[in-house]
Amino acid sequence: MGNFSDFIKNENNTYKNNNESNMKNNNIDENANKIKLEEMINNYKGLSQSELMNEFIKMTMKKKKDGTLKESELENIKKTILPYLTEEQKTNLENILNMVRNV
């Protein structure tokens, strides 16, 4: 049987290894999300504002119908893009979000 110091060293190494593994997994997730976002941007890059809005409505309505759309997701989208919108666009977004919520 080992002593307490050996036990603590092993526990600390296990903790360190788990943290390193979690950090690597988080980096992989972040990289995957960045790639996914870049692909999404490239897919919608050439669309007009009305085409983008139509695509957003179509996607959110599908998720709503499937039961996979969450209020927290809508709020997150709103918080993310709101700072980049003009007052008119903010009003349009709010109207669209209300429409999606009430369907």
Side-chain angles (χ1 to χ4, degrees):
M1 179 183 250
N3 63 30
F4 186 71
S5 295
D6 292 338
F7 173 77
I8 294 299
K9 284 180 191 175
N10 288 337
E11 284 298 308
N12 286 338
N13 285 337
T14 300
Y15 178 75
K16 181 181 174 185
N17 290 338
N18 285 341
N19 279 344
E20 289 173 358
S21 177
N22 287 339
M23 288 174 65
K24 286 178 187 174
N25 288 339
N26 286 340
N27 287 338
I28 290 169
D29 289 344
E30 286 179 24
N31 288 337
N33 286 339
K34 284 181 184 178
I35 291 169
K36 199 182 233 184
L37 181 60
E38 288 173 2
E39 288 173 356
M40 223 164 136
I41 289 170
N42 286 333
N43 287 338
Y44 298 113
K45 190 166 39 177
L47 300 180
S48 69
Q49 181 178 344
S50 63
E51 290 170 321
L52 284 171
M53 288 297 196
N54 288 335
E55 192 63 27
F56 174 75
I57 292 169
K58 187 170 72 173
M59 286 173 32
T60 53
M61 297 303 267
K62 181 185 181 313
K63 289 186 83 165
K64 179 88 171 185
K65 187 184 279 188
D66 295 345
T68 59
L69 184 67
K70 299 176 184 164
E71 179 63 29
S72 61
E73 192 173 4
L74 289 176
E75 283 302 313
N76 201 16
I77 291 168
K78 181 179 168 182
K79 286 178 187 177
T80 301
I81 64 173
L82 210 58
Y84 303 100
L85 302 179
T86 65
E87 289 304 314
E88 181 182 353
Q89 290 170 327
K90 289 176 184 179
T91 302
N92 288 340
L93 177 63
E94 197 61 52
N95 290 336
I96 290 167
L97 292 176
N98 287 333
M99 181 182 68
V100 169
R101 286 181 182 118
N102 295 321
V103 171

